[in-house]
Structures are given as structure tokens and as C-alpha cells.
Amino acid sequence: FPLSAGLEMQALLRGGLQQAASCSSAFMLNAPGMTLLSIETSFNMLQRRWASKKAGGSSKNGRTSLPKMLGVKKLGGHDVIPGNIIVRQRGTRVRPGDNVGCGRDHTLWALTAGIVKFKWCTITKQNTVEVVPHAKYGDWCLHKALEARARLKVDAAMGMLGNAKFAYSFLPKEERLAALAKVKEAGEKVKTRAEKKGVVLRGAAPACEELEWAAQAQA
């Protein structure tokens, strides 16, 4: 081991960087490929303190917040009572319509009893939800059933009559019996037109047992 190299290490340990550089320059410059810049770089690397522990990775799921339970709670055609939550959302992706309230966290709930109905609003270009009263919703379904009957869509007409019966079932007894009589009459019209036009009717007409029970009770 050369004496000049030993002197260099002793000077470096004592912290005399300038003295070490002057003592070792003659020795290190004689070595092949060594320059003053490489000597200075080597000294800087010796003085630098390197990390002694591996850095830990970041985590994306280190939270303990509870779920917010967002989404649609009542679908179209579902029966609701006042206070039922229809949609939980962030922002007004679904706008409140008739008989629907909106909270400060954009939660939509029913203001009256009725049937949930979603529709696309052509003015705001957004989905809108409203609560239609039972009698009004039943009349709308009955009207759509007669329109489907006129276009020979008898299965769709029977489905709308079933929806009308469901809506009418929430009415008081006297109004319910009168409405079910209209549903039964519309079902007979649909079957008559299907037989007349030779259209196969796959679905059955909605059964109105309550009308038969009322007739038997009167007899």
C-alpha cells in the first residue's frame, strides 16, 4: 500500500479536505484515467451520508371512512310513501320533479304517496324523477294499454293493465272497485281485438278477484 495513499486517508479522517487534496493529487494524477474533477467527485461521495433504511411505499386504502350508500333506492314503478328516499347522489345527476324533495346533500325523497316515475326532461337535458299519485298513475297506464291495443301490441297492453291494477290497489275501497271494473273492461277489449285480428296473446289478463268477491257479497 503506497505511503502517499496512507497519508491521504489520515488527512481525510481528520477533516482536512484541502490538505488531503494537495497530498494525493500527485499520486492520483499519475494513475491512468484520473483527473482533478474525478478526485473532487470522489471526495464529495466519501463525505455524503447515504440512506440506511428502505423507504416505505404509499397506500391508497388506508382510510377508515364509512360507505356512503349512494345510488337509486326506488326504481320506476315502485310504490312510495312520504319520506321514502328515492335517490342518494352527489350532485344533481337526477333532478327532482313533481312531489319530490331535494336535500342539501342532493338526496331525493318522496313528498306524497304514489308511484315512482323516471323520465328524460327535454328542457334541462337531464333525468327527472317524480312521484305520481296512485289514481293518476293508474289512469295513465290504462290509457297506454288502450294505445298499445290499437297498435296490436296486445302483450304490452296486458302489462300496462297489470301496472294499472297495481296502482289502483292503493285507493279506497269504493274508488278501487270502480277502477278495477275499468281494468277488467279494458282487458276484455284487448282479448277481443287479439282474437279478431288473429294475434297470439301470450299474457293473461289481470285477474280482478275483488270484483267477484264484491258481487258475491252483494248477492
Side-chain angles (χ1 to χ4, degrees):
F1 192 78
L3 179 60
S4 59
L7 295 175
E8 174 193 350
M9 294 302 296
Q10 291 180 3
L12 182 60
L13 292 175
R14 287 194 302 267
L17 181 60
Q18 295 180 355
Q19 184 179 359
S22 61
C23 293
S24 61
S25 59
F27 169 74
M28 298 189 70
L29 284 174
N30 292 331
M34 296 299 294
T35 61
L36 289 174
L37 181 61
S38 61
I39 295 172
E40 183 179 1
T41 304
S42 62
F43 288 152
N44 292 335
M45 293 180 65
L46 287 174
Q47 288 182 337
R48 186 175 302 167
R49 185 182 184 280
W50 302 97
S52 58
K53 185 177 181 181
K54 182 180 178 181
S58 61
S59 176
K60 293 184 178 181
N61 59 350
R63 298 174 299 277
T64 58
S65 59
L66 297 176
K68 305 307 176 185
M69 304 299 181
L70 304 179
V72 179
K73 308 304 178 183
K74 295 289 185 180
L75 301 177
H78 282 191
D79 175 62
V80 292
I81 60 176
N84 281 163
I85 294 176
I86 302 174
V87 180
R88 280 198 178 276
Q89 58 185 348
R90 292 293 177 266
T92 54
R93 293 176 62 90
V94 181
R95 302 282 294 186
D98 296 337
N99 302 321
V100 175
C102 182
R104 61 183 181 180
D105 61 346
H106 307 112
T107 297
L108 305 182
W109 74 89
L111 296 176
T112 60
I115 305 296
V116 177
K117 183 181 177 183
F118 287 87
K119 65 179 182 181
W120 174 259
C121 183
T122 57
I123 299 176
T124 60
K125 305 297 183 182
Q126 283 185 319
N127 287 318
T128 305
V129 60
E130 60 181 4
V131 176
V132 185
H134 296 107
K136 185 177 179 180
Y137 187 81
D139 295 340
W140 178 79
C141 291
L142 190 61
H143 177 70
K144 289 296 182 180
L146 295 178
E147 285 185 352
R149 167 185 170 272
R151 294 193 300 268
L152 292 179
K153 296 182 178 180
V154 291
D155 290 324
M158 288 300 184
M160 295 305 295
L161 289 178
N163 293 339
K165 178 191 173 184
F166 173 74
Y168 287 144
S169 63
F170 295 95
L171 299 178
K173 184 176 181 180
E174 295 181 359
E175 298 180 10
R176 182 170 66 249
L177 292 176
L180 290 179
K182 293 190 295 184
V183 172
K184 185 177 181 180
E185 182 182 357
E188 295 296 335
K189 290 181 179 180
V190 172
K191 288 193 293 185
T192 302
R193 184 167 178 80
E195 293 174 359
K196 185 177 180 180
K197 297 296 182 179
V199 180
V200 178
L201 182 61
R202 296 181 178 85
C208 300
E209 302 90 349
E210 192 171 358
L211 290 176
E212 300 177 0
W213 298 339
Q216 293 175 3
Q218 290 179 358

